[in-house]
Amino acid sequence: MSSRDPAVQPSVRRRLRDRWTAARRGVLRRRRVLAALCAGGATLAAVRAVAPPPPATVELLVAAHDLPAGAVLTDDDLRPADVPSDAVPAAVAGSPVGGTLAAPLREGEPVTDVRLVGPDLAAADPGRVAVPVRISDEGQAALLGAGDRVDVLATDPQERTTTTVADDAVVLAVPPAASDEGALQGRVVVLGVAPAEVQGLTSAAVSAFVTYAWRSH
């Protein structure tokens, strides 16, 4: 039978009309959903158009995981992170690898100069200087923590007298005990003291039994 047969053409036209009708009904049934999608898209485009640009960021080295006081930083302890420019702390340590932490560092925290054992420790407390001092009893030194405030006492074993050689000193760091100190007794801590107390404190450290008393708050 020829495709031009008059009996065939109405059947083709009917099928095409039926398909068009079905498609039109499908669109009509979903017009609310389509309208909602269009409205949502328009709203999202408007919000994006008026939203402020993302803040500028700076890449810093931050702790890759929680780190304890006394940890010697390695490449595995640090990772780069983008920090908003207005949230960058002052005095970020430029090359912290190899430095010793004076206090614990939480994951994601940047490393600043006052977090590392060294002369910059006293920067957070103007008017003081950082001094390493050997506490004669290692067990007593182990009880100290960064931020403690103490009076440093020196006892002369011959005179049997005790004097205060540093008043209201701030414990800046308690580095881990060294394993190669030989015959040296005690343990070194880093204290923040007034400049006028440095000479008496260092003299006492080599001639007297040095201990401390916690300050009452």
Side-chain angles (χ1 to χ4, degrees):
M1 182 180 296
S2 173
S3 61
R4 296 181 178 276
D5 192 323
V8 174
Q9 292 182 5
S11 177
V12 173
R13 287 197 296 270
R14 187 180 307 107
R15 287 198 298 271
L16 291 174
R17 185 174 62 252
D18 291 344
R19 290 179 181 176
W20 166 252
T21 301
R24 184 170 179 273
R25 288 175 179 173
V27 171
L28 291 175
R29 284 197 301 270
R30 295 173 175 80
R31 64 183 182 279
R32 292 184 179 179
V33 176
L34 294 173
L37 291 175
C38 291
T43 302
L44 180 60
V47 170
R48 288 182 175 176
V50 300
T57 59
V58 175
E59 186 176 273
L60 298 180
L61 287 177
V62 300
H65 46 263
D66 290 350
L67 294 164
V72 179
L73 297 177
T74 67
D75 289 326
D76 293 336
D77 294 324
L78 303 169
R79 61 175 174 82
D82 292 327
V83 178
S85 299
D86 57 358
V88 175
V92 174
S95 302
V97 174
T100 301
L101 285 179
L105 198 66
R106 287 292 189 186
E107 180 180 354
E109 283 191 73
V111 184
T112 59
D113 56 354
V114 296
R115 290 300 186 97
L116 298 175
V117 174
D120 291 330
L121 270 177
D125 199 345
R128 296 180 186 268
V129 293
V131 182
V133 178
R134 182 175 294 278
I135 302 298
S136 299
D137 188 304
E138 183 177 349
Q140 288 184 352
L143 298 175
L144 293 172
D148 287 351
R149 304 186 82 93
V150 297
D151 291 334
V152 184
L153 310 173
T155 299
D156 187 322
Q158 295 181 346
E159 299 293 334
R160 296 184 180 181
T161 57
T162 299
T163 57
T164 300
V165 291
D167 183 67
D168 193 23
V170 180
V171 179
L172 300 177
V174 185
S179 59
D180 57 351
E181 291 187 295
L184 293 176
Q185 300 296 315
R187 181 172 173 181
V188 172
V189 300
V190 183
L191 301 178
V193 301
E197 296 174 321
V198 173
Q199 185 174 349
L201 182 59
T202 54
S203 296
V206 297
S207 63
F209 186 87
V210 178
T211 184
Y212 61 86
W214 275 292
R215 300 277 296 192
S216 59
H217 296 285

